[in-house]
């Protein structure tokens, strides 16, 4: 049986990674059983908000840990390919990683804010784009009907971290 080659990527600093994991847990929640992505829809998520996986009635904690770490690893790897993480301030690194776990890295990589970051613009103005990512399953979560207020809260948090008004090193453990 051939050996799998280890995946490689530029690892985030320990503080960024620890805060990222704490914040993801706070915003995604956790469930071994399927739960709706948004109320009254058929789209389901498991574990720490993971979608697009084989549908089962139950995932064990060990399976959820493996799925979550794999999902996070893939997101971090993709971001490293499209953003110069080692040249970005930690607040931007944290924001990009936090958003990528939820939206997927492809959306972040093709955004106008990523284009600005690649060009060296890390000013707070580049963070405004974050507030536009409030749609889930085609529904705008800023409206009360779709029942996904967590996305609005999450984007507000990410926007604050990105523009420097929220200290991610402290706030990640409070939400």
């Amino acid at each position: 049986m051939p050996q799998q080659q280890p995946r490689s990527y530029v690892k985030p600093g320990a503080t960024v990674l620890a805060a990222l994991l704490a914040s993801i847990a706070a915003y995604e929640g956790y469930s071994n059983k399927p739960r709706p992505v948004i109320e009254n829809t058929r789209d389901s998520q498991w574990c720490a908000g993971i979608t697009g996986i084989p549908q089962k009635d139950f995932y064990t904690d060990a399976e959820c840990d493996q799925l979550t770490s794999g999902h996070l690893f893939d997101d971090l790897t993709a971001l490293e390919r499209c953003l110069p993480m080692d040249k970005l301030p930690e607040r931007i690194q944290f924001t990009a990683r936090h958003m990528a776990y939820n939206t997927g890295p492809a959306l972040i990589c093709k955004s106008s804010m990523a284009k600005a970051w690649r060009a060296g613009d890390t000013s707070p103005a580049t963070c405004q784009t974050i507030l536009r990512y409030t749609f889930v399953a085609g529904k705008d979560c800023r409206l009360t009907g779709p029942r996904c207020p967590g996305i609005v809260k999450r984007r507000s948090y990410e926007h604050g971290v990105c523009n420097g008004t929220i200290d991610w090193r402290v706030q990640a453990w409070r939400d």
Side-chain angles (χ1 to χ4, degrees):
M1 182 173 198
Q3 277 189 315
Q4 277 189 316
Q5 293 296 317
R7 298 176 184 176
S8 63
Y9 68 102
V10 177
K11 296 179 183 174
T15 303
V16 173
L17 191 56
L20 182 64
L21 290 169
S23 187
I24 285 171
Y27 279 95
E28 294 292 347
Y30 183 88
S31 177
N32 298 89
K33 296 178 181 180
R35 61 181 192 229
V37 170
I38 170 176
E39 283 185 25
N40 301 319
T41 66
R42 290 182 170 190
D43 297 330
S44 294
Q45 59 185 332
W46 288 261
C47 308
I50 300 173
T51 60
I53 57 176
Q55 296 190 8
K56 292 173 55 171
D57 291 333
F58 185 84
Y59 278 97
T60 66
D61 287 343
E63 289 172 318
C64 280
D65 288 348
Q66 185 175 8
L67 287 165
T68 301
S69 63
H71 181 64
L72 184 58
F73 179 88
D74 290 345
D75 289 349
L76 296 181
T77 302
L79 282 177
E80 296 294 338
R81 286 192 297 264
C82 81
L83 289 173
M85 290 296 199
D86 59 334
K87 294 182 173 99
L88 297 173
E90 284 186 331
R91 67 181 169 80
I92 302 291
Q93 292 179 38
F94 180 86
T95 301
R97 289 176 172 124
H98 198 273
M99 281 191 74
Y101 187 88
N102 181 250
T103 66
L107 194 64
I108 304 305
C109 290
K110 69 181 183 181
S111 71
S112 60
M113 68 187 166
K115 182 178 179 182
W117 293 338
R118 284 190 292 271
D121 181 1
T122 59
S123 68
T126 63
C127 304
Q128 282 302 114
T129 303
I130 293 169
L131 299 175
R132 291 188 223 147
Y133 292 96
T134 57
F135 288 80
V136 174
K139 310 261 187 210
D140 188 346
C141 296
R142 293 172 294 188
L143 307 175
T144 56
R147 298 288 190 212
C148 51
I151 290 296
V152 176
K153 182 180 176 188
R154 181 186 193 120
R155 296 298 175 257
S156 178
Y157 168 71
E158 292 161 345
H159 178 254
V161 169
C162 184
N163 68 28
T165 60
I166 295 175
D167 185 346
W168 58 271
R169 293 166 294 201
V170 175
Q171 196 64 31
W173 284 273
R174 291 192 181 165
D175 285 345

